[in-house]
Amino acid sequence: MTYIVNDNCIACKYTDCVEVCPVDCFYEGENMLVIHPDECIDCGVCEPECPADAIRPDTEPDMEKWVEFNRKYSEMWPVIITKKDQLPNAEEMDGKEGKMDLFSEAPGEGG
């Protein structure tokens, strides 16, 4: 099992999760985070830390696409281990439909 970040993180990018991760397996894109599925140790401490409920176990239905999505971008983006401010409209964007239209492949700063 591993944990993944889904599209509800897009345009929110809360980083509460990265502070609690014991193995530093979060990676930062311009407007979301992902988890490297091969580095995640399945401890689950990140899941309750996400205000947007964007972190889910891969054992839930239809998670295969998110495992591959997280894998792809974790190999392209820099690692993030330090909590940062969420994106400016995070509260407004939390739970919005169609957020994949807002997704950016650009890397974040990491750190």
Side-chain angles (χ1 to χ4, degrees), residues 49-111:
E49 297 299 318
C50 181
D53 195 31
I55 300 173
R56 312 298 310 155
D58 73 342
T59 53
E60 291 186 357
D62 301 319
M63 287 294 145
E64 297 84 14
K65 68 178 181 181
W66 289 111
V67 171
E68 291 313 309
F69 180 93
N70 277 246
R71 182 183 316 282
K72 176 182 178 178
Y73 291 101
S74 65
E75 292 174 358
M76 297 170 55
W77 294 344
V79 69
I80 178 173
I81 60 172
T82 306
K83 185 177 187 277
K84 300 178 180 181
D85 291 338
Q86 70 268 16
L87 294 178
N89 296 327
E91 288 181 24
E92 173 185 322
M93 294 303 296
D94 185 5
K96 293 268 186 192
E97 295 291 321
K99 289 172 76 171
M100 280 306 296
D101 294 339
L102 304 173
F103 174 69
S104 169
E105 289 189 343
E109 296 175 3

Side-chain angles (χ1 to χ4, degrees), residues 18 21 23-29 33-34 36 39 73-74 76-82 84 107-111:
V18 303
C21 181
V23 293
D24 302 334
C25 66
F26 281 88
Y27 292 80
E28 183 184 15
L33 304 175
V34 293
H36 194 301
E39 295 173 1
Y73 291 101
S74 65
M76 297 170 55
W77 294 344
V79 69
I80 178 173
I81 60 172
T82 306
K84 300 178 180 181
E109 296 175 3

Side-chain angles (χ1 to χ4, degrees), residues 32-54:
M32 79 173 292
L33 304 175
V34 293
I35 295 171
H36 194 301
D38 297 334
E39 295 173 1
C40 177
I41 61 170
D42 315 326
C43 67
V45 296
C46 59
E47 186 180 18
E49 297 299 318
C50 181
D53 195 31

